[in-house]
Amino acid sequence: MSVADRFADALYGLGWSTVKKLPEPVAARLGRTIADAAWKRRGKGVRRLEANYARVVPDASPERLAELSRAGMRSYLRYWMESFRLPAWSAERVKSGFAGQDLHHLTEGLAAGRGVVLALPHLANWDLAGAWVTTKLETPFTTVAERLKPESLYDRFVAYREGLGMEVLPHSGGAAFGTLARRLRDGGLVCLVADRDLSASGVEVDFFGERARMPAGPALLAQHTGALLLPVTLWYDDSPVMKGRVHPPVEVPGSGTRAEKTSVMTQALADAFATGIAEHPEDWHMLQRLWLADLDPSKGPS
C-alpha cells in the first residue's frame, strides 16, 4: 500500500472512529469549518463542482457560482459528517432524519411483489435515505459500490453500509448484474446511484442541454426482471431532516430494440434527476467530470 493510500485509509478511519462520538451540533460546525476551508483553497474538486454548477445554472454570475460552490461544499461535508455519525444514530434518530414525498410509489411497488429499482443522483445523503429504508420501512436492499483504493478503504465502506442494513456488491467483476436481477425477481429492492457512468459504456443522454453518459443498469434491470424503476431525488433544507421525493415510475417502452428502450428509459431518469438538481443544485455533490465535452482533458477546467 502506498503512502497516499495509507493516509487516505487512516483519514477515513479517524472520521468514523472520532466524528461519530461528537455531539451533533459540534459535528455540524466542524463540517462547515472544513467545507469553508476547502472552498477557500479552490482546489481541483471545488473548481470542478463550480464548473458543473455552471451547466445547471447557465445564467449564474461568477458571484452566484461562487455562492453555490460554497453551499455545495457545506452540503458535501454535511453528507460526510452525517455518514460518519450514522452508525451511532439510534433507530429513532434515523427514522426522524428523513421526510419523503410520494413514497406510495415505493411502498405500493414493494407490496405488489414485483421488485423495485430506486435510482438516485449524488444528491444530499443517499446513505441516510438507505438507512431510513432499512429502519423505517424495515426493508433490506441491495446496492453496488465502486471499488476504491486502497482495498482497505473499500472494505471500510462495505462494512459501514452493511452495518446500516444494506447488501453491498462490488461494481467491478461482472457478477453484480446477475445478483441484482435475482434479488428483483424475488420481489426485493435494489438501490443504485445512477447519474455518473463508471464503465465508459453507458447510455448517452441529454443533461442540462449537453450530452452526458449515465449507466444502463437501472433500465436493463427493469427490462430483464419486470421490476418497477423509480427515480429518487433528495435535498437538504435548514432543518436537521433531509427531504426527498420518489418520482413516478419510468415505464418500459412498448416497442423498440433493447438498446432503444434502454436509451429512452435512461433519458427519463436523467430528466427526473435534472428536475431535482435544478431545484437544489447546491446539494448535488458532483466533484468529477460528467459531461462528454469535459471528459476530453483539453476542454474545460480540471
Side-chain angles (χ1 to χ4, degrees):
M1 188 188 302
S2 70
V3 173
D5 286 346
R6 286 199 299 271
F7 178 75
D9 182 57
L11 189 61
Y12 283 102
L14 181 65
W16 268 301
S17 64
T18 303
V19 174
K20 70 180 180 182
K21 298 176 183 177
L22 298 175
E24 197 158 336
V26 174
R29 286 196 300 272
L30 176 62
R32 288 193 297 271
T33 299
I34 295 172
D36 288 348
W39 177 77
K40 288 176 182 176
R41 284 199 301 271
R42 290 195 58 79
K44 180 179 176 181
V46 173
R47 296 197 308 273
R48 171 47 48 195
L49 184 67
E50 205 164 287
N52 289 339
Y53 287 159
R55 294 298 206 327
V56 176
V57 191
D59 58 347
S61 66
E63 292 77 15
R64 172 59 178 149
L65 287 176
E67 290 174 1
L68 273 176
S69 65
R70 183 179 187 183
M73 289 304 295
R74 286 188 169 191
S75 176
Y76 186 47
L77 265 294
R78 175 172 172 176
Y79 159 77
W80 278 112
M81 292 298 112
E82 287 179 346
S83 294
F84 287 143
R85 289 179 48 75
L86 263 175
W89 282 14
S90 68
E92 288 308 312
R93 177 66 183 91
V94 173
K95 292 176 184 178
S96 65
F98 173 72
Q101 301 172 9
D102 299 326
L103 294 171
H104 64 93
H105 293 304
L106 171 58
T107 56
E108 290 170 5
L110 291 171
R114 61 181 290 191
V116 176
V117 179
L118 295 180
L120 307 87
H122 286 80
L123 274 170
N125 191 339
W126 45 96
D127 285 330
L128 172 55
W132 184 88
V133 167
T134 60
T135 306
K136 177 71 173 181
L137 300 186
E138 299 182 342
T139 302
F141 65 86
T142 305
T143 189
V144 174
E146 178 184 2
R147 277 203 175 276
L148 302 171
K149 292 182 179 180
E151 191 75 13
S152 57
L153 181 55
Y154 171 77
D155 292 341
R156 286 184 188 274
F157 272 94
V158 170
Y160 156 64
R161 288 179 172 138
E162 287 179 343
L164 298 177
M166 311 174 192
E167 179 188 22
V168 183
L169 307 176
H171 181 271
S172 59
F177 188 90
T179 302
L180 295 173
R182 287 193 295 274
R183 299 292 183 267
L184 292 168
R185 290 192 182 102
D186 290 339
L189 177 64
V190 165
C191 299
L192 301 171
V193 179
D195 57 342
R196 179 170 174 254
D197 180 53
L198 296 174
S199 66
S201 60
V203 178
E204 282 197 23
V205 296
D206 182 82
F207 196 54
F208 290 101
E210 292 192 44
R211 302 302 286 175
R213 191 181 290 119
M214 294 187 180
L220 287 172
L221 284 167
Q223 292 176 63
H224 274 277
T225 67
L228 197 66
L229 176 55
L230 299 174
V232 177
T233 53
L234 308 169
W235 65 92
Y236 290 128
D237 55 20
D238 293 332
S239 77
V241 181
M242 184 178 70
K243 307 303 191 298
R245 177 190 175 198
V246 181
H247 295 252
V250 173
E251 303 292 345
V252 178
S255 61
T257 65
R258 178 179 296 173
E260 289 168 342
K261 292 177 180 179
T262 301
S263 178
V264 170
M265 296 172 73
T266 306
Q267 182 63 60
L269 283 180
D271 292 342
F273 294 167
T275 297
I277 292 167
E279 291 173 351
H280 305 279
E282 68 279 3
D283 291 323
W284 188 41
H285 308 151
M286 185 55 65
L287 282 74
Q288 300 84 21
R289 297 175 185 270
L290 179 73
W291 281 273
L292 298 187
D294 291 340
L295 295 177
D296 179 350
S298 67
K299 298 178 181 179
S302 300

